[in-house]
Amino acid sequence: MNVIVVASRKGGSGKSTLTAHLAAHVAKPSRRTLVIDADPQGSLSLWHSLRGGERPALTKPGRPLSDTLKAAKKDGFEWVFIDTPPNKSPIVGEAIRAATLVVIPTRPSVFDLAAVTETIEACRAEGKPYAVVMNAAPPRRGESESFMVRDARAGLSGMKVPVWSGQITHRTDLSFAVGAGAGVKEFDPDSAAAAEIAALWSAIDKSVKVINSAQGGSGAMHKAAA
Ligand SMILES: Nc1ncnc2c1ncn2[C@@H]1O[C@H](COP(=O)(O)OP(=O)(O)OP(=O)(O)O)[C@@H](O)[C@H]1O
Ligand SMILES: [Mg+2]
């Protein structure tokens, strides 16, 4: 069972949005997927109630979270996504300790970037693989990334922070789909937003394969935190 924790101290960075789209993208009968809504704001629980149907499954974290994860493993879940609150509550640390990979979304603006360091420190302290994901980014122009994204990448790479090479662009499709209880692939399968979520999933899947094989793999988006 693989546990993807989506975490960032910055409110509104896109944790719940990315968790919903990734989980909806991944869940299928042959790939049992569980979302743990560890944020008392309940964004993912709201999304799930709008969604209807059983895939992905959703639960709130028990105390301790490790009990919920043990039960999930016993139930045969292959992928678990944990959405976390933007604060210092103990559940965030518990989730990071249980993670296979921590995904840290950030908008490419200075205030948002400044806020990722605390989550990165938490991953490093626990020795957990992690990667930053640029979210709600200005669109690319052809092959070129916007100046904001390039600048953000330069700042993060100066801090030796692994960053996914792609981006999730600011697109209303992502918000509309969540409001309809959908993932963007279900909402508009041919959209650019759906293609970006698929690309992010491929990168996560590749990283997790590398992590589980315990071999240094080139091209994986994460860095095993030292
Ligand atoms: N890529 C995107 N394109 C367009 N809108 C986005 C994108 N990512 C997030 N948003 C919007 O930004 C807002 C905040 O996103 P979201 O709730 O996912 O952030 P969060 O990190 O979970 O916030 P919190 O820390 O409060 O839990 C929402 O209105 C969401 O629809
Ligand atoms: Mg949220």
Side-chain angles (χ1 to χ4, degrees):
M1 188 175 82
N2 299 304
V3 180
I4 307 303
V5 172
V6 186
S8 155
R9 285 279 280 125
K10 185 74 181 171
S13 58
K15 297 178 284 298
S16 303
T17 301
L18 295 187
T19 306
H21 291 297
L22 286 167
H25 180 90
V26 170
K28 52 183 185 179
S30 60
R31 200 159 56 188
R32 296 196 59 216
T33 303
L34 175 68
V35 173
I36 300 181
D37 184 3
D39 184 353
Q41 288 183 103
S43 306
L44 266 282
S45 301
L46 172 61
W47 171 73
H48 201 254
S49 70
L50 295 168
R51 184 172 175 80
E54 72 241 28
R55 275 197 310 274
L58 180 136
T59 189
K60 299 261 187 189
R63 283 286 183 272
L65 174 65
S66 54
D67 283 357
T68 315
L69 292 169
K70 264 184 224 145
K73 194 167 180 185
K74 208 164 145 226
D75 284 350
F77 284 103
E78 193 181 338
W79 289 92
V80 176
F81 291 87
I82 307 183
D83 184 28
T84 60
N87 56 36
K88 287 186 173 187
S89 63
I91 193 74
V92 181
E94 273 186 81
I96 290 175
R97 274 192 291 285
T100 308
L101 173 71
V102 182
V103 170
I104 307 175
T106 183
R107 293 172 184 252
S109 75
V110 66
F111 294 154
D112 293 75
L113 290 164
V116 299
T117 49
E118 216 173 293
T119 312
I120 289 167
E121 287 310 320
C123 295
R124 287 178 172 165
E126 295 295 339
K128 287 294 171 179
Y130 65 95
V132 169
V133 168
M134 293 289 166
N135 180 42
R140 287 172 191 261
R141 297 248 163 100
E143 289 302 298
S144 315
E145 286 186 316
S146 81
F147 172 75
M148 264 181 97
V149 173
R150 271 185 285 145
D151 201 39
R153 284 190 195 286
L156 290 165
S157 78
M159 289 154 52
K160 302 211 177 330
V161 170
V163 185
W164 177 45
S165 58
Q167 68 170 47
I168 304 294
T169 304
H170 190 280
R171 296 186 198 277
T172 48
D173 275 358
L174 292 165
S175 307
F176 280 138
V178 167
V184 72
K185 186 169 73 170
E186 299 151 331
F187 188 74
D188 184 354
D190 298 324
S191 61
E196 288 179 352
I197 293 293
L200 175 57
W201 166 245
S202 298
I204 291 172
D205 192 35
K206 186 172 178 183
S207 267
V208 166
K209 285 197 174 95
V210 169
I211 291 162
N212 288 339
S213 73
Q215 285 165 7
S218 60
M221 72 169 178
H222 72 279
K223 185 172 75 181

